[in-house]
Amino acid sequence: MALKKEQRPPETLASAESKRPPAWHQVRQLTRHHWLYLPRLFSRRERVELVLLASVALVAFLVLSSRITTRVTVARPAVGGVLREGALGEPRFVNPLYASDDTDRDITAIVFSGLVRYDGGGKVAMDLAQGVEISQDGKSYTVTLRPGLRWHDGEALNADDVIFTIKTVQDPAYKSPLRANWQGVTIERLDQTTVRFSLRQPYAPFMENLAVGILPAHLWRKIPRETAVLSDLNLKSVGSGPYQFKKFTRREDGTLTSLVLTRNSRYHLEGPYLKEIHFSFYTDEASLIAAYRRNDIDSFSFLSAGRRDELAKLDVSIHELKLPKVFAVFLNPNVQPFLGRRAVRQALAAAIDRSSLIAKTAAGGGAEVHSAIPPGTFGANTDIPAIPFEPDAARRLLAGDGWKDTNGDGLLERTEGSGRNRKTAKLEIRIMTSDAPELQAAAAAIAEMWGAIGARTEVKALPIADLEAAAIRPRAYEVLVFGEVFGHDPDPFAFWHTSQLKDPGLNIALFSNRAVDLLLEEARRTADPDTRERKYREFQRVVASDLGAIFLYQPVNYYAIRQQFSGVNLGALALPEERFGEVNRWYADTRRALK
């Protein structure tokens, strides 16, 4: 009997696969030796092809990922980076109460917040205020503060701080240059977050007053009025703006060389994004540009249009700032009677070559002006005809008014009367101006032009504080070459109304005209912009017709900043420091965020 081999049913494919370990388990079983040996299974050519294939796959993955990321996300500002700002002259008062020059005001604008501010387009935007309600008669402004406001030191900011600030400005003991803006205004506390401003008469541009920086009452109440200007808080300032004081450095001689501001993490608006802003101080424009070329600073303001062309070749964005400011020649017939003669005023105006003046003094950074409100400002009358440069016509005007060179010395004289009443006036003029380089140069150029028509002219330049004390306030000048600065709403009342003829008024043209007085009074009482614009235009026509002053030009400022900084939106500004109105939105770093 033959033996039979035992018959077993064959294993199915499925059962065999089920007994095999999972692939991931098999991979885990591979040792380091196995992995190192793996490349030997392929030829040299195969290894190269595998590497190329892997590289292509990786690049494709990265490109696809980048495209997907770009489609579903957007670049947003991120906290980071430092802005190094160069400034002319060191600061003295980082304080809205006393800030007196551009450097003071620049830093003050960053450290302090007002109830309102002006955005990049020159429009009013809420700042510390959540809202402003204006009464129907235009005499009352009720301001509601945002909730949860804090000072840089962490203390709460409320209505008491607002009231303290305005009453301090109004207090003559503090001698704030802002005092004139707040005369006749009363302020009352309605509750912890609400204040009301009451005006004697409607004043349409009052909203601009609310942009003044607010002071911390809990700190400044401790400082006597008489010593306020000496307080350390004028440099180590505590405000509520986007950046706060960190430190400053001085040389051995006491000169301030730098001041550092750091971001305010408690800031009530968007941002701020830049971690710090460093201010470095220089003596002149050439030093600023040299510092920029050395990469010591990232941004700075300058005036010369020639510098603009030079800087345009560098890594820089240049913003042109046409500010509502006008330089003019103001004549005082109370000190020098012949300056009240119309023929003399006409001749002096016709003898000035404005285009040459701008090229020499502002290096091309200016625009000719022929009216009391500069071009581009609300209410400016651009239809007023220009006074042409005509020195021959100027000489004819003077000759027709009786001025002659009797002894051939080039100086014109005019004689009137006879006998004991005979008087001879010499056409000798003394110009007074500030020691600011641009104004000194302008005055010197005008003196030369007037000399060419027979008016012997000398120039005396004084530091601004001395000029104000010795000449402007007592109106003790024959001719004053000076500037007038307007706001977003020009309101020329302080410069041209008869009530402002004497200090502390600012009517340095010594102009008095009843028709102009009525126009300016009515303009500031009406809230209708079209009506106010018509009255402003008519006011300028009358002033130009009466030769109230000899208008020269509107200076142009420039702001240079490296292209690595974004969010810098500079439009219609009234003051140079307003370029920092939205500095909380400037940034150097970005992050990706979902759309």
Side-chain angles (χ1 to χ4, degrees):
M1 187 174 175
L3 294 174
K4 290 185 177 179
K5 192 176 181 179
E6 186 178 42
Q7 299 290 320
R8 283 185 175 182
E11 289 184 320
T12 66
L13 181 62
S15 62
E17 289 291 338
S18 65
K19 292 180 180 180
R20 183 179 299 172
W24 65 268
H25 184 73
Q26 296 180 47
V27 172
R28 287 185 60 186
Q29 298 301 315
L30 293 175
T31 66
R32 180 170 174 273
H33 176 74
H34 290 131
W35 285 109
L36 292 174
Y37 187 79
L38 187 62
R40 300 182 184 180
L41 300 178
F42 302 96
S43 67
R44 178 181 178 84
R45 177 173 179 172
E46 289 173 329
R47 289 197 297 271
V48 171
E49 291 174 348
L50 283 171
V51 169
L52 291 174
L53 183 61
S55 300
V56 170
L58 178 61
V59 170
F61 172 77
L62 293 175
V63 171
L64 182 60
S65 299
S66 176
R67 288 184 177 180
I68 294 173
T69 300
T70 302
R71 287 190 176 185
V72 301
T73 65
V74 65
R76 301 285 188 196
V79 174
V82 173
L83 175 68
R84 301 167 301 166
E85 174 86 7
L88 284 177
E90 60 184 291
R92 294 179 59 221
F93 299 111
V94 182
N95 180 340
L97 204 67
Y98 298 121
S100 58
D101 60 30
D102 286 344
T103 300
D104 283 352
R105 289 189 286 261
D106 285 350
I107 303 174
T108 297
I110 298 173
V111 172
F112 289 88
S113 295
L115 297 174
V116 303
R117 61 189 175 88
Y118 285 88
D119 62 20
K123 303 295 183 183
V124 173
M126 295 299 107
D127 198 344
L128 294 174
Q130 185 171 266
V132 179
E133 182 181 344
I134 305 174
S135 64
Q136 193 169 2
D137 63 3
K139 295 182 181 181
S140 175
Y141 289 71
T142 302
V143 178
T144 303
L145 298 176
R146 297 177 188 271
L149 294 172
R150 295 280 169 182
W151 293 104
H152 292 157
D153 61 4
E155 293 292 319
L157 188 161
N158 55 43
D160 294 333
D161 297 294
V162 178
I163 292 173
F164 172 82
T165 300
I166 303 309
K167 289 190 173 181
T168 299
V169 169
Q170 293 174 325
D171 187 341
Y174 282 95
K175 299 180 181 178
S176 171
L178 301 178
R179 182 168 173 255
N181 296 342
W182 290 92
Q183 290 181 332
V185 179
T186 59
I187 180 172
E188 59 182 313
R189 183 186 192 274
L190 302 185
D191 57 44
Q192 194 169 3
T193 59
T194 313
V195 296
R196 178 184 294 142
F197 298 93
S198 298
L199 286 60
R200 294 174 185 168
Q201 297 291 336
Y203 179 51
F206 181 74
M207 186 68 80
E208 195 163 343
N209 282 27
L210 301 183
V212 65
I214 302 301
L215 294 169
H218 68 283
L219 296 176
W220 280 96
R221 276 200 187 107
K222 303 173 184 177
I223 300 169
R225 294 173 173 84
E226 298 75 19
T227 60
V229 295
L230 304 176
S231 171
D232 285 347
L233 284 175
N234 288 310
L235 276 182
K236 299 178 181 179
S237 307
V238 176
S240 58
Y243 291 87
Q244 62 191 65
F245 173 81
K246 182 178 181 180
K247 64 179 181 179
F248 60 73
T249 58
R250 292 185 186 273
R251 294 195 186 100
E252 291 184 0
D253 63 2
T255 302
L256 201 67
T257 56
S258 69
L259 186 145
V260 176
L261 305 177
T262 188
R263 68 184 298 270
N264 173 18
S265 60
R266 299 185 181 92
Y267 190 53
H268 50 277
L269 299 176
E270 176 188 347
Y273 299 112
L274 298 172
K275 288 182 66 176
E276 291 183 344
I277 300 179
H278 296 185
F279 278 86
S280 298
F281 309 114
Y282 299 87
T283 56
D284 53 50
E285 194 173 275
S287 300
L288 281 170
I289 294 175
Y292 187 89
R293 288 183 175 277
R294 293 193 306 268
N295 196 29
D296 289 343
I297 59 175
D298 301 308
S299 55
F300 63 98
S301 288
F302 64 100
L303 299 174
S304 170
R307 300 287 192 185
R308 176 193 58 193
D309 298 335
E310 174 187 344
L311 288 165
K313 303 171 185 177
L314 306 177
D315 167 31
V316 66
S317 295
I318 298 177
H319 301 265
E320 183 176 284
L321 313 178
K322 287 188 176 180
L323 306 176
K325 179 177 183 178
V326 57
F327 286 144
V329 177
F330 301 98
L331 311 173
N332 187 350
N334 296 334
V335 174
Q336 184 56 272
F338 65 70
L339 293 175
R341 303 184 67 83
R342 184 173 181 81
V344 173
R345 297 170 83 95
Q346 288 177 320
L348 295 178
I352 296 176
D353 183 353
R354 288 167 180 77
S355 61
S356 172
L357 192 69
I358 293 170
K360 289 180 179 178
T361 65
E368 289 188 26
V369 170
H370 300 280
S371 64
I373 297 179
T377 307
F378 173 76
N381 189 342
T382 56
D383 295 332
I384 292 175
I387 298 176
F389 170 54
E390 295 179 337
D392 289 339
R395 296 184 186 97
R396 289 194 296 271
L397 282 165
L398 291 172
D401 194 44
W403 295 90
K404 300 176 182 178
D405 181 4
T406 57
N407 56 10
D409 63 353
L411 173 63
L412 297 181
E413 300 173 348
R414 184 179 183 277
T415 302
E416 59 182 22
S418 60
R420 291 183 177 180
N421 297 323
R422 182 182 176 88
K423 294 181 180 179
T424 299
K426 296 182 178 181
L427 197 59
E428 294 178 317
I429 301 172
R430 186 171 75 161
I431 296 175
M432 298 189 76
T433 191
S434 158
D435 62 355
E438 185 176 3
L439 285 174
Q440 282 194 74
I446 291 169
E448 184 179 346
M449 295 172 188
W450 285 354
I453 64 167
R456 183 180 295 160
T457 309
E458 67 175 65
V459 176
K460 184 175 183 180
L462 297 173
I464 184 62
D466 295 340
L467 182 68
E468 289 179 352
I472 295 177
R473 287 176 182 164
R475 307 297 195 253
Y477 49 86
E478 295 180 12
V479 173
L480 180 68
V481 174
F482 209 59
E484 291 182 337
V485 181
F486 298 90
H488 290 276
D489 190 309
D491 187 29
F493 184 95
F495 296 133
W496 294 95
H497 194 273
T498 300
S499 65
Q500 306 299 302
L501 284 171
K502 295 182 179 179
D503 184 63
L506 300 176
N507 188 344
I508 55 177
L510 301 173
F511 184 84
S512 181
N513 182 292
R514 184 54 185 160
V516 163
D517 289 349
L518 290 173
L519 287 167
L520 296 179
E521 290 165 11
E522 293 166 358
R524 62 177 9 203
R525 283 199 294 262
T526 180
D528 178 54
D530 292 336
T531 301
R532 291 172 61 221
E533 185 171 19
R534 285 196 302 272
K535 294 186 181 300
Y536 284 159
R537 289 174 62 85
E538 177 61 15
F539 142 73
Q540 292 163 85
R541 189 195 64 76
V542 176
V543 169
S545 176
D546 287 0
L547 274 174
I550 303 172
F551 301 105
L552 301 174
Y553 65 93
Q554 175 187 20
V556 176
N557 286 23
Y558 301 94
Y559 185 58
I561 185 168
R562 293 192 189 277
Q563 294 178 357
Q564 72 190 69
F565 295 95
S566 301
V568 183
N569 178 26
L570 305 182
L573 307 183
L575 298 165
E577 65 268 22
E578 287 183 2
R579 69 184 184 278
F580 294 119
E582 292 185 313
V583 70
N584 57 301
R585 294 184 175 181
W586 297 9
Y587 62 93
D589 295 347
T590 59
R591 59 182 176 83
R592 303 300 302 187
L594 292 174
K595 289 184 178 180

